[in-house]
Amino acid sequence: ESMGISQRHELKSRLTILLMHLIKWAWQPEKRGNSWRKTIRIQRREIKDLLDQSGSLKPYFLEISAAAWSNACEDAEDETGLPQPTFPVECPWDMNSQVLVKDWLPE
């Protein structure tokens, strides 16, 4: 069971990092660069690997997505200097058709 707990923690952590970088990409277009793109790619790859390894994580993924979004907004506030109300209360992007899609990036 501890394996499941650590995998869930890793999944939430990676999703938070992914969402924070997507937020920065969307809200600070003038600062976009290869390092952000690389972080987004790596986090997507690792999340996909986790979900492929453990089918039981799939329902959990949608459960944690709201909390991961909230965490990502807090972190993005620190990193961008933009006040948290700048960002929507709920994630504006679909988890399966956008957030986890290999080359998708917000405008």
Side-chain angles (χ1 to χ4, degrees):
E1 183 54 42
S2 62
M3 176 70 176
I5 291 169
S6 66
Q7 280 186 317
R8 288 200 296 263
H9 180 77
E10 182 182 353
L11 184 64
K12 186 174 181 182
S13 174
R14 291 190 178 282
L15 182 57
T16 299
I17 293 167
L18 172 58
L19 288 171
M20 193 212 19
H21 279 78
L22 291 172
I23 288 169
K24 292 198 303 184
W25 190 273
W27 273 272
Q28 292 195 308
E30 72 285 356
K31 295 188 177 176
R32 289 174 184 171
N34 289 335
S35 71
W36 289 1
R37 189 186 298 270
K38 182 180 177 196
T39 298
I40 289 167
R41 176 174 292 128
I42 289 168
Q43 297 308 322
R44 279 182 175 143
R45 187 185 298 146
E46 295 294 331
I47 289 168
K48 183 179 183 314
D49 287 350
L50 277 169
L51 293 173
D52 288 348
Q53 284 166 19
S54 175
S56 65
L57 284 176
K58 287 192 175 86
Y60 177 74
F61 177 76
L62 291 174
E63 275 175 42
I64 57 152
S65 58
W69 174 257
S70 177
N71 293 346
C73 289
E74 287 178 13
D75 295 347
E77 179 182 26
D78 294 339
E79 291 220 7
T80 64
L82 297 168
Q84 203 171 333
T86 305
F87 314 120
V89 175
E90 292 181 359
C91 182
W93 310 305
D94 182 86
M95 287 294 150
N96 293 312
S97 67
Q98 293 175 310
V99 173
L100 293 183
V101 173
K102 187 174 177 210
D103 290 316
W104 180 84
L105 289 167
E107 289 303 310

